[in-house]
Amino acid sequence: METAAVADRKDLIRRLKYDLLGLPPTVEETEDFVNDTRKDAYRRLVDQYLSSEQYGVRWGRHWLDVARYADSNGLDENLAFGNAWQYRDWVVNSFNSDKPYGDFVVEQIAGDLLPDADRSAITATGFLVLGAKVLAEPDREKLEMDTIDEQLDTTGKVFLGMTFGCVRCHDHKFDPITQADYYGLAAIFKSTQTFGDTNTGAIKHWNEHVFATAEDLESMKEVEDRIAALKKSATDFRNRAYGDLRQKVRSQAVDYLVAATSVELDMSLNDVEEIAAAKGLHPRVLHHCRKHLQFHPNDPVFAPWHALSGDKHAEQVEALYRERFRKAVDFDPKAPKKDSEVELADGDDFDVGLYHSALMDNSGFLAVPPKPDFAFDASTYQEYGRLMEEARLYESAAPDVDSVMSVKDGEIVPELAIHIRGNHRNLGPAVKTDVPEVMRFAAGKLPLSDQGSGRLALARWLTSGENPLTARVQVNRIWGWHFGTGLVQTPENFGVLGDRASHPRLLDWLAAEFVENEWSTKKLQRMIVLSSTYQQSSSSQASSLAQEQDPGNRWLWKFPMRRLEAEQLRDAILAVSGKLDVTLGGKTVPLRNRQFVFNHTSVDHTKYDSVRRAIYLPVIRNNLYTAFEQFDFPDPTTPTGHRSVTTVAPQALLLMNSPLVIEASDQLARQLTAKSESESSRIESAFLRILGRKPDATESAAASKLIQQVSDGSSSSSVVAWSVLCQSLLAANEFIYIQ
């Protein structure tokens, strides 16, 4: 099968820099490479990019997909992972230093158990803590087993390309993994402490290793006390406001029953508001009151209302209930039962205790809306919001205790009972700690010592040169991150339902070379990008035989054209406009550790207007950055070695309307118009900066025509016209796709 020709140098440098650094080449870089006549020019370029500190940013982001990295917990209690950024920075630094993949794996599984464990190694174990958890789960044992299941499933997919999650309940339906195998591994994580000893009410806290000194912790108490005081101030205000509102509503109980005679069941809230306003009542309380009456027609308190309902009986309703509720207000609920029977002036008897209970029932006919924004008037709600915002802002800016997300050995469990159907309350026979039986033939049984959880033994077993999966799984991912798809197209599933390798001998050879070269990721990548396969053109102008036999390019007879990933696209837009900040590291999530992501109105105040690399933007579970979502950012709750690629209309609309794109276009336009150049020179500069090439005659003419149509000759309209041109180029497929 005939393969494609070597790619054009402009395409090759663009492909290489996006692949290794996630950024577009500058005009100067492209010109230098195109004009470099040395035979090893391309090799030099590869080495230059591999040694750049931005390499770790790009390839660290790949691993964060696999590690299901996020800056918040998600699920029921979306608390901030205020220290997750330290794991992220550890990943970036590990790639930049070309940490051997074997060490990279061991530290994430058992860095805290290494003989020379330091802060870096302990930070690495954050990998096991990053999963989403149901933090308010009342059954502590179930919470632990759910967390162990998530850790096991993640470990299996990430390092072995195996799906273990379903084996919690039954033997694997397709792969030779039994429940005994599952619980043999689960015993390791059962002996590992993922949760700390602290909590906030019903919310459990994940484990963190504290590096702060006693003096540091003492000084933090002042911060904690201030946060607690501010929150208490807001809570006290809310409680007082609710108390005052309930007292007012109860004092108007008869008025609500009278007004309810004018409310039809099918009335909208807007119609009810008119009736309530005329009588000085709370519209939502009145609306609820009418519904409550409808659902309680036989209640002794409300049965008389139904007998008298209707506008013409309003006066009778008032006469009936006025005296009864007046007496109910003063009634002592602790009084003897006989004192509940009260005689009215007209001679009627009634149970004042029932009326008192109805009046004081917070969920009864006078129920106040539970949400402050529905319950309070404008001024009260504004003051409550001010107090809550004051507390939120102070907490968000407050320093954190010096600590990192991590695990540690807990109570050692040498064996764990099989949970029948996954139920932790229905136990079967116990299973000793070990790796799956089907995997023992290659790398042997787990070399467990008499002490410890077994995590370190597991980590060393995973990275044994005899383990046939660990190297293959990672090599496959790296290949896929360069070519758009792996040699095995299901990077987290090498099992029966997974894809078969397109080039099995190549995969085996690359895995062997990976291990032979001391698990060096950079050496493996150098080998891949220097290959003739990687340097091929993406043009389809090859033999008809190749196109007929392999229309999907599974055999890589040409380089596969790929769309930029969400982070690449966002960073490229900032880079070509000169706005990108490439500073490395540091905390960027604007929340304190374990702070709630959403405020009292369910608003997420996280901002994404930073001009730093996209890897440093917060990843908030349940509420991802819109631009990321549109361009197929992966689900941060599950390992993802291959991102799906969709093409939908909202992507184009986002490029048309996104403030990011508009501001970058304006910036480019100002830079272009600031130069005293001819129109044709400016057009050429725009194409070079954004697309990396000069325009042809047709493109130059079209660009000139566009500028003339938009501009009316003034300086301000001129900038707008050039901005429109720049935005058109930023939204072009040529900018968005890598050839």
Side-chain angles (χ1 to χ4, degrees), residues 73 203 208 213 217 250 374 410 421 435 478 516 585 606 638 653 687 700 723 735:
N73 178 68
I203 302 172
E208 297 204 351
T213 64
L217 294 175
R250 287 165 184 161
F374 291 158
R421 295 183 179 178
V435 296
I478 291 172
E516 184 70 21
T606 308
T638 187
L653 294 174
F687 271 75
S700 293
S723 179
F735 179 74

Side-chain angles (χ1 to χ4, degrees), residues 186-237:
I188 296 173
F189 295 105
K190 182 68 172 176
S191 302
T192 300
Q193 186 175 329
T194 306
F195 289 93
D197 301 320
T198 59
N199 58 278
T200 302
I203 302 172
K204 289 78 176 175
H205 292 166
W206 54 88
N207 186 71
E208 297 204 351
H209 185 100
V210 177
F211 292 97
T213 64
E215 292 78 8
D216 294 334
L217 294 175
E218 187 63 31
S219 66
M220 289 301 295
K221 287 183 179 180
E222 295 181 12
V223 176
E224 300 289 351
D225 290 345
R226 175 61 175 160
I227 293 172
L230 289 171
K231 288 183 176 180
K232 185 177 185 300
S233 177
T235 301
D236 289 349
F237 178 86

Side-chain angles (χ1 to χ4, degrees), residues 57-283:
V57 174
R58 171 61 180 158
W59 282 81
R61 181 59 256 180
H62 280 313
W63 184 259
L64 295 183
D65 283 4
V66 176
R68 80 272 189 244
Y69 175 86
D71 291 296
S72 75
N73 178 68
L75 296 184
D76 62 331
E77 304 294 342
N78 204 0
L79 269 59
F81 285 165
N83 284 316
W85 64 272
Q86 298 187 67
Y87 171 80
R88 177 204 65 205
D89 286 357
W90 175 85
V91 170
V92 171
N93 294 335
S94 295
F95 273 97
N96 273 336
S97 64
D98 198 19
K99 183 187 290 289
Y101 184 68
D103 296 345
F104 186 70
V105 172
V106 168
E107 290 182 24
Q108 291 180 85
I109 298 294
D112 60 309
L113 302 179
L114 292 172
D116 56 346
D118 57 8
R119 181 174 185 134
S120 175
I122 294 171
T123 300
T125 66
F127 169 83
L128 292 173
V129 191
L130 283 169
K133 308 166 192 65
V134 183
L135 296 173
E137 169 61 58
D139 187 334
R140 180 71 180 234
E141 189 175 355
K142 181 179 184 300
L143 173 61
E144 289 179 355
M145 290 310 300
D146 288 346
T147 301
I148 289 169
D149 181 68
E150 194 277 338
Q151 292 170 331
L152 254 184
D153 190 53
T154 297
T155 300
K157 289 176 178 177
V158 171
F159 302 116
L160 296 171
M162 299 296 292
T163 54
F164 290 151
C166 62
V167 194
R168 178 182 184 179
C169 301
H170 53 75
D171 291 350
H172 204 293
K173 297 295 186 183
F174 303 98
D175 298 332
I177 307 295
T178 66
Q179 268 196 294
D181 294 328
Y182 176 95
Y183 286 98
L185 285 171
I188 296 173
F189 295 105
K190 182 68 172 176
S191 302
T192 300
Q193 186 175 329
T194 306
F195 289 93
D197 301 320
T198 59
N199 58 278
T200 302
I203 302 172
K204 289 78 176 175
H205 292 166
W206 54 88
N207 186 71
E208 297 204 351
H209 185 100
V210 177
F211 292 97
T213 64
E215 292 78 8
D216 294 334
L217 294 175
E218 187 63 31
S219 66
M220 289 301 295
K221 287 183 179 180
E222 295 181 12
V223 176
E224 300 289 351
D225 290 345
R226 175 61 175 160
I227 293 172
L230 289 171
K231 288 183 176 180
K232 185 177 185 300
S233 177
T235 301
D236 289 349
F237 178 86
R238 182 193 64 192
N239 293 341
R240 286 195 303 272
Y242 264 113
D244 293 345
L245 178 58
R246 288 193 177 100
Q247 185 174 353
K248 178 182 179 182
V249 166
R250 287 165 184 161
S251 70
Q252 297 173 303
V254 178
D255 296 331
Y256 278 100
L257 291 173
V258 171
T261 62
S262 303
V263 178
E264 300 295 335
L265 286 172
D266 58 352
M267 273 188 178
S268 68
L269 184 60
N270 288 336
D271 293 333
V272 174
E273 283 180 345
E274 293 183 11
I275 298 173
K279 299 178 181 297
L281 304 178
H282 194 298

Side-chain angles (χ1 to χ4, degrees), residues 198-437:
T198 59
N199 58 278
T200 302
I203 302 172
K204 289 78 176 175
H205 292 166
W206 54 88
N207 186 71
E208 297 204 351
H209 185 100
V210 177
F211 292 97
T213 64
E215 292 78 8
D216 294 334
L217 294 175
E218 187 63 31
S219 66
M220 289 301 295
K221 287 183 179 180
E222 295 181 12
V223 176
E224 300 289 351
D225 290 345
R226 175 61 175 160
I227 293 172
L230 289 171
K231 288 183 176 180
K232 185 177 185 300
S233 177
T235 301
D236 289 349
F237 178 86
R238 182 193 64 192
N239 293 341
R240 286 195 303 272
Y242 264 113
D244 293 345
L245 178 58
R246 288 193 177 100
Q247 185 174 353
K248 178 182 179 182
V249 166
R250 287 165 184 161
S251 70
Q252 297 173 303
V254 178
D255 296 331
Y256 278 100
L257 291 173
V258 171
T261 62
S262 303
V263 178
E264 300 295 335
L265 286 172
D266 58 352
M267 273 188 178
S268 68
L269 184 60
N270 288 336
D271 293 333
V272 174
E273 283 180 345
E274 293 183 11
I275 298 173
K279 299 178 181 297
L281 304 178
H282 194 298
R284 290 183 183 272
V285 175
L286 177 58
H287 188 263
H288 169 81
C289 177
R290 182 63 185 89
K291 296 288 186 183
H292 187 90
L293 290 167
Q294 180 64 23
F295 288 119
H296 297 80
N298 299 318
D299 188 300
V301 176
F302 305 120
W305 183 92
H306 284 278
L308 299 171
S309 63
D311 281 340
K312 61 183 179 180
H313 297 295
E315 292 182 3
Q316 292 174 278
V317 169
E318 180 173 7
L320 175 73
Y321 283 102
R322 184 70 65 186
E323 181 68 12
R324 298 186 182 206
F325 276 117
R326 185 185 66 77
K327 291 182 177 295
V329 169
D330 299 327
F331 177 73
D332 181 4
K334 297 180 181 179
K337 177 67 177 176
K338 61 182 179 63
D339 293 345
S340 292
E341 295 296 326
V342 176
E343 182 178 348
L344 296 173
D346 58 7
D348 287 343
D349 292 337
F350 81 106
D351 189 336
V352 68
L354 290 177
Y355 279 75
H356 178 83
S357 296
L359 193 64
M360 297 301 169
D361 185 358
N362 288 341
S363 60
F365 78 108
L366 296 177
V368 171
K371 291 187 175 182
D373 49 338
F374 291 158
F376 298 161
D377 58 46
S379 60
T380 303
Y381 183 66
Q382 183 178 10
E383 177 60 14
Y384 174 60
R386 185 191 69 78
L387 292 171
M388 287 294 292
E389 184 68 359
E390 183 182 3
R392 185 191 71 81
L393 290 174
Y394 182 84
E395 184 177 12
S396 298
D400 283 317
V401 173
D402 184 15
S403 60
V404 297
M405 299 175 75
S406 66
V407 296
K408 61 182 179 181
D409 274 6
E411 180 183 351
I412 304 305
V413 180
E415 59 182 24
L416 184 63
I418 291 175
H419 293 24
I420 298 172
R421 295 183 179 178
N423 187 344
H424 64 287
R425 300 189 186 281
N426 188 7
L427 303 180
V431 180
K432 289 186 177 181
T433 301
D434 210 337
V435 296
E437 184 176 3

